[in-house]
Amino acid sequence: MVMQAFYESAYIAVYISSMELETATLSSAHPQGTASESVSRWWDDAVIYQIYPRSFADGNGDGIGDLIGIASRLDYLKRLGVDAIWLSPFYVSPQADAGYDVADYRNVDPVFGTLADFDRMLARAHELGFRVLIDMVPNHTSSAHEWFVAALAATPGSAERGRYLFRDGNPSTGSGTARELPPNNWQSIFGGSAWTRVDDGQWYLHLFDSSQPDLDWNNPEVVGEFESVLRFWLDRGVDGFRVDVAHGLVKVEGLPDTDETAGLLTGGSNVGPMWDQEGVHDIYRNWHRVLAEYGPDRILVAEAWVSPTSRLSRYVRADEMQQAFNFEFMTTGWNATGLRRSIDAALADNRSVGATTTWVLSNHDVVRHSTRFGLGDPTSWPKGIGPADEQPRTELGLRRARAASLMMFALPGSAYVFEGEELGLPEHTTLPDETRQDPAFFRTAGLEIGRDGCRVPLPWKSQAPAYGFNESGSSWLPQPPEFAALAVDQQDGVVGSTLELYRRAIELRRERGLGRGDIRWQLATKDVLHFENSGVRVVTNFGHHPLPLPHRVSVLLMSEPDAVIDHELAPNCTAWLA
Ligand code: GLC
């Protein structure tokens, strides 16, 4: 009764402050162009599924996922109902950073298969009606790339070195090859100095691992090469590219020292002479033109850890990229006030440049949201979780993750799903150190646990070797025993499972046109988010008490089978009402 009174009164007056009124009519519907144009803007409301090829499905049984495996599981994604898939890198690579260290941009690593396997996978995906995005890694190559091999063999000042950022050491520390300090104080994202010294005394820049030398994007040869690589894949028929470290390609002239600690893969903003420089936009304008030659439906997606969203939205101006990952939404965590703020900012900022918004809660670089939301502080942002760290409350985390995902699917724009989140997979938080692969773990001497815990191979069958990831039972990272109960065969067709929740949410979202709708806030407090989109009222209870629902509504979908009892929404749940 008390709760009833609370909610009813909240409905009457409390919640629409003047600021809220300002944003209450925000719309993201068809921000650009005419109806016919919007038909080709398939990405505006697309659900895009991230495949991490190493861990999705393993066709040849070597313990690492591959393209044959992916092709064999596309039907599963069809049933899930997604519109597009994005594949993390499968190019020739020493795999020092799980393929984000590319040695040959025009071929497939034998670990993943062959170009013919790629073509077959692509053809099958297209047959099923999926758009296919692939990863492009332009900030750095692998040190095994022929360009870098040539650069090492060449002399300082040579054209070969000019494709990368080779510099002499800090002059204050001596002269010639005796110079001992790196050219500046930049730190690698993965820990340690961002410079490595070569035999003749010069240094090269690597914002990531020493096996990932940064390219010099002021060099026209670099510009031309990537244009040609884009065409190589566009000619094969891909629908677009997710652009790795999109905000890092251009560095401030002279590479000045900085006091900013590089905050990639964190919620912090990326300020500093290596991030978000004006020059990157020229690169994407050029790429935009290249893609446009292939038709109006090829897209670029920015992985740009840039904040606030007003900076991020500059990447999706009409003549640049089509999408940028909304990391602010992802890093906010389970927090009604923060999410409300981030939703409003993302919608407004994207709208101001004529773009639609993306929503993302998990990917291959971050702790899975089902685990983060089960931590004592569900807004915390650990860089990996190890056995010695606080362990999540799994059930609570999953409950909140399902609620957050259901809220996400009701927002206007495009939603990204990271493989396995549709199964409610948790992070593997007790991986033994000897199994770890992430360079961040090694470069920080274990101080950062790293990203392996979210990259564990998917469970398909609870009773099969490697839970059906392959037939051999081998797995490049060990799978935790909890995966058995979460395997696809345990959830398929099971009412109330996370898999069925995702399927239904994606289906209903399409039927109701939520991805192309508008939102109107009905209530936003620290305990409740309630908005309306296209006639669907979406309520999430972040509080500790059951929440009485408005009268005369029926439940379309709820995040738990028992989320709504006696017309009250349980804590940590979302309901779609009509
Ligand atoms: C991006 C990728 C990440 C990779 C890094 C370097 O952030 O998502 O996995 O380690 O770039 O390429």
Side-chain angles (χ1 to χ4, degrees), residues 511-565:
E511 276 170 30
R512 298 267 171 168
L514 302 185
R516 290 187 183 257
D518 313 335
I519 66 164
R520 277 168 200 280
W521 290 105
Q522 307 293 313
L523 179 63
T525 71
K526 72 175 190 22
D527 288 336
V528 185
L529 287 185
H530 178 175
F531 60 82
E532 187 266 336
N533 177 1
S534 310
V536 178
R537 302 172 73 155
V538 179
V539 188
T540 304
N541 184 355
F542 293 79
H544 299 292
H545 306 288
L547 182 74
L549 294 171
H551 295 304
R552 291 182 295 281
V553 291
S554 57
V555 177
L556 291 175
L557 188 60
M558 45 190 176
S559 59
E560 299 291 331
D562 57 355
V564 178
I565 294 176

Side-chain angles (χ1 to χ4, degrees), residues 97 100-101 137 140 190 208 212 242 244-245 264-265 303 305 364-365 451 455:
D97 184 22
Y100 282 96
D101 48 321
V137 189
H140 44 265
F190 293 157
F208 295 88
Q212 294 166 296
R242 175 263 191 195
D244 191 62
V245 201
L264 197 86
L265 312 180
E303 187 224 15
W305 293 82
H364 67 292
D365 288 327
R451 302 161 292 173
R455 300 175 173 181

Side-chain angles (χ1 to χ4, degrees), residues 187-349:
Q187 296 294 299
S188 154
I189 301 296
F190 293 157
S193 169
W195 294 92
T196 289
R197 196 178 187 203
V198 301
D199 287 348
D200 57 30
Q202 273 209 312
W203 302 72
Y204 66 89
L205 178 73
H206 51 88
L207 291 182
F208 295 88
D209 189 52
S210 56
S211 65
Q212 294 166 296
D214 279 49
L215 288 160
D216 184 352
W217 272 88
N218 289 320
N219 184 330
E221 218 188 326
V222 171
V223 175
E225 170 65 1
F226 273 88
E227 213 182 290
S228 151
V229 169
L230 293 179
R231 289 181 193 283
F232 176 87
W233 292 102
L234 289 164
D235 287 340
R236 297 197 101 79
V238 304
D239 299 286
F241 303 91
R242 175 263 191 195
V243 182
D244 191 62
V245 201
H247 59 314
L249 276 51
V250 174
K251 284 83 179 171
V252 166
E253 191 65 39
L255 310 181
D257 277 352
T258 176
D259 294 332
E260 301 294 340
T261 45
L264 197 86
L265 312 180
T266 72
S269 68
N270 282 120
V271 278
M274 65 291 269
W275 304 124
D276 198 26
Q277 299 301 314
E278 205 47 45
V280 297
H281 297 288
D282 294 334
I283 298 170
Y284 305 129
R285 286 191 187 101
N286 182 35
W287 287 17
H288 180 106
R289 285 191 290 270
V290 172
L291 266 69
E293 288 174 29
Y294 289 79
D297 55 353
R298 314 285 173 122
I299 73 165
L300 296 166
V301 186
E303 187 224 15
W305 293 82
V306 165
S307 68
T309 43
S310 54
R311 287 299 294 184
L312 185 65
S313 61
R314 303 172 82 244
Y315 288 76
V316 289
R317 289 176 289 194
D319 58 348
E320 297 192 36
M321 303 210 191
Q322 283 72 16
Q323 289 190 334
F325 293 116
N326 184 350
F327 289 143
E328 208 137 286
F329 180 74
M330 177 170 75
T331 53
T332 297
W334 180 254
N335 173 330
T337 314
L339 286 170
R340 157 76 200 279
R341 203 178 302 127
S342 119
I343 291 167
D344 283 346
L347 290 174
D349 288 332

Side-chain angles (χ1 to χ4, degrees), residues 57-66 469-475:
D58 176 18
N60 69 2
D62 66 355
I64 302 179
D66 48 39
F469 172 57
N470 53 27
E471 287 179 2
S472 68
S474 109
S475 171

Side-chain angles (χ1 to χ4, degrees), residues 390-413:
E390 178 201 343
Q391 296 297 302
R393 283 170 291 169
T394 315
E395 231 174 85
L396 176 65
L398 179 56
R399 200 174 169 84
R400 287 175 173 167
R402 290 165 55 127
S405 299
L406 196 54
M407 182 186 78
M408 172 179 87
F409 284 128
L411 289 167

